Every structure is written in structure tokens, then in C-alpha cells.
Amino acid sequence: MTTTIQSSTLAVPPPKAIPSHVAIIMDGNGRWANQRFLPRVAGHSKGVDTVKTIVQECASYGIKYLTLFAFSTENWRRPSHEVTFLMRLFFKVLKLQVSLIHKNNVKLVIVGDLSAFPEPIRKNAAQAQQLTENNTGLVLTIAANYGGRWDILNAMRLAYENNPDILPENMTEEWLSPYLSMSYAPEPDLFIRTGGEQRVSNFLIWQLAYTEMYYTPIFWPDFDQQAFADALTWYRFRERRFGQTGHQLLESQIVKNA
Ligand code: FPP
């Protein structure tokens, strides 16, 4: 019997010890600061140091894609001074770190609806992406003003614009997925959320369908080399089935290793 493949994810990737793509929600900056009687924004500043550490760690483990949720479509609801601070921080990081990013052969990609950002940030973001576009090392994606629902709707619009005569029965995952903002990357193997909350918060909702989800109570500013190594160890011991049985997986491993 031939089986119709319904999902693009059913092309089962071989399980690997090290994930190819790690996606992170960097949560807990505000609580980290509160615990120290500091303003919330001090947590965001400290969080930038963790970003640097984790970028270096990913590069040294040979992880190919790292995606960070920096600013969600819902973050606009925060107090205006915090939103302004986050914008300025984003601008500063882009400006000051881009040469270091480039020197380390990292390719920077920014996804999300940047049209809502001030012009200097958009200009900086475009320049940083242009400078690093031919780099062959880690692909660092920053999701800014990003929301998973926005991404899917945006992809629908683009796909429809490109092919307005399409019949509903031809609207498949393969038809839509090239229009998603992260179509250049494989789906994340490992999702990490720091700060203790256990939810996806409208991050890469399409792309996380088969991702291993790792939640840690550690606040983002405290998420260090060891904490990242612990997440990778946890991942190594996960059995990724993609809908198959454990027995089928074992069989395919035996055939592969024969
Ligand atoms: C969530 O913590 C964090 C954010 C909304 C912003 C994350 C930004 C950075 C780490 C710095 C900029 C990063 C880049 C890549 C340029 P929270 O404020 O929700 O913390 P809480 O849950 O404790 O309140």
C-alpha cells in the first residue's frame, strides 16, 4: 500500500546527537532584575551577555542554526519606557556587535514585521544582514516583532499573491512553507524556554510541530554554558519518533548501522 505523505515533516531526519537548529525564548529578564532590586531593563541588558555566550557555544558545538525570540508582536503591550529601551538595546547591539558577528563568520538574519520599527533600526538591520549574508558559519536568526500567527498569515498572503488561481485542493504544506519567514532553515530540533513558563507564546508555531521542548526555571541572564550543555544532554537522550513507533526507529538504526 502506498501512503500519501501529508506533512513535510514526515521526511524523517536521522536523529543526531547535536541539534541542527536550536530556537530559544529568552525569558526571565525582568524577574532576574527584580530579584536584585534593579529596574527590569537591567535584566535585558544583562541578557545581551547571555546572547553572546550562547552564540559562541552554538558555534563551538557545530550547531548550524540558532533562532532567538527578541521581541514578540505582543511585547508592544509593555510599558512604553520598556519598549523604547528594548528598541534602543536592539539598535545598540546591532551597531556594536555586527563586526564581531561578521568576524566570526556568523550570518545574521532578522525575521518579523520590521515595518513597525523606527527607521534607524530598519536601516541598521538591513546593513547587518547585507554585511553577513555570505558568511558560512552559524546562522543566527533574531525574531523581532515576530509572531507565529503573523508568519502563517503573511505566508498565506504571499503565496496567494504569487498564485491567485490556485485551487483549494492544491494548497498544501509544500505550497505554503516556502513563504514562511524561516523557510531557509530546517525546523528546530530543540526549543528552549528559560524563566520557568511552559508555553510557546506564539513563537514559531508552524515550525515547532515536531520539536523537542525543553523548559528550565533558570532566568535568561543566568543561562550559562553549563545550563546550555544540560539542555543539549537532555536533547541527546530524547527519542525523536516523528509519528513512528520506538520499534520502527530502532529497526531503522539497526539497518543504518549494519
Ligand atoms: C523576556 O523577559 C525578554 C524579552 C522580552 C527581551 C529579550 C531581549 C534580550 C535578551 C536582549 C536583546 C537581544 C538581542 C538578540 C539583541 P521578560 O522581560 O519577559 O522577563 P520576565 O518574564 O521575568 O518579566
Side-chain angles (χ1 to χ4, degrees):
M1 193 185 89
T2 49
T3 319
T4 315
I5 294 187
Q6 302 280 356
S7 163
S8 50
T9 322
L10 287 181
V12 179
K16 281 193 287 182
I18 295 289
S20 300
H21 184 176
V22 178
I24 307 184
I25 295 189
M26 310 177 286
D27 200 10
N29 292 346
R31 281 166 287 159
W32 179 92
N34 284 343
Q35 274 186 348
R36 287 160 180 77
F37 305 104
L38 294 168
R40 285 177 53 81
V41 293
H44 298 317
S45 298
K46 186 79 172 100
V48 174
D49 293 339
T50 307
V51 171
K52 288 188 209 159
T53 305
I54 299 308
V55 168
Q56 278 160 8
E57 285 304 290
C58 283
S60 66
Y61 278 108
I63 291 167
K64 184 66 191 157
Y65 298 90
L66 171 66
T67 302
L68 301 174
F69 206 7
F71 194 86
S72 73
T73 42
E74 290 75 25
N75 284 154
W76 294 107
R77 297 180 196 147
R78 294 187 172 215
S80 64
H81 70 90
E82 188 172 335
V83 172
T84 309
F85 182 90
L86 279 168
M87 293 287 160
R88 289 203 180 124
L89 187 65
F90 190 42
F91 181 75
K92 204 170 107 186
V93 171
L94 276 177
K95 210 173 163 62
L96 298 181
Q97 304 299 331
V98 71
S99 48
L100 186 68
I101 287 174
H102 187 42
K103 215 174 90 194
N104 284 292
N105 196 24
V106 173
K107 175 174 171 160
L108 182 72
V109 185
I110 298 164
V111 295
D113 182 6
L114 285 192
S115 65
F117 281 50
E119 165 62 18
I121 294 193
R122 281 189 277 152
K123 203 169 136 204
N124 246 8
Q127 282 169 350
Q129 289 179 96
Q130 223 166 39
L131 178 70
T132 63
E133 72 184 343
N134 294 320
N135 289 348
T136 55
L138 175 75
V139 179
L140 170 63
T141 302
I142 306 291
N145 197 24
Y146 177 88
R149 290 181 182 177
W150 166 83
D151 197 4
I152 295 168
L153 276 175
N154 191 50
M156 276 304 286
R157 285 190 195 113
L158 294 173
Y160 179 72
E161 266 168 28
N162 241 1
N163 193 355
D165 300 324
I166 188 158
L167 296 169
E169 59 267 34
N170 293 331
M171 294 177 172
T172 60
E173 289 184 22
E174 291 73 17
W175 168 73
L176 187 66
S177 53
Y179 298 96
L180 290 164
S181 54
M182 288 205 66
S183 59
Y184 55 87
E187 291 170 10
D189 304 291
L190 173 63
F191 162 91
I192 299 174
R193 183 175 185 146
T194 62
E197 305 293 351
Q198 302 202 354
R199 54 176 173 262
V200 173
S201 298
N202 200 16
F203 194 22
L204 302 159
I205 50 177
W206 174 288
Q207 297 87 341
L208 292 174
Y210 284 91
T211 304
E212 298 294 335
M213 313 299 272
Y214 180 81
Y215 296 99
T216 169
I218 299 173
F219 295 145
W220 178 248
D222 288 331
F223 191 74
D224 58 10
Q225 274 186 330
Q226 185 55 52
F228 188 59
D230 290 346
L232 293 183
T233 304
W234 175 88
Y235 173 81
R236 208 167 298 141
F237 288 101
R238 298 295 302 161
E239 187 187 68
R240 304 196 74 199
R241 291 194 187 146
F242 297 96
Q244 292 183 308
T245 65
H247 186 71
Q248 281 175 305
L249 270 189
L250 193 67
E251 266 186 344
S252 64
Q253 285 301 304
I254 292 168
V255 171
K256 218 177 84 191
N257 297 328

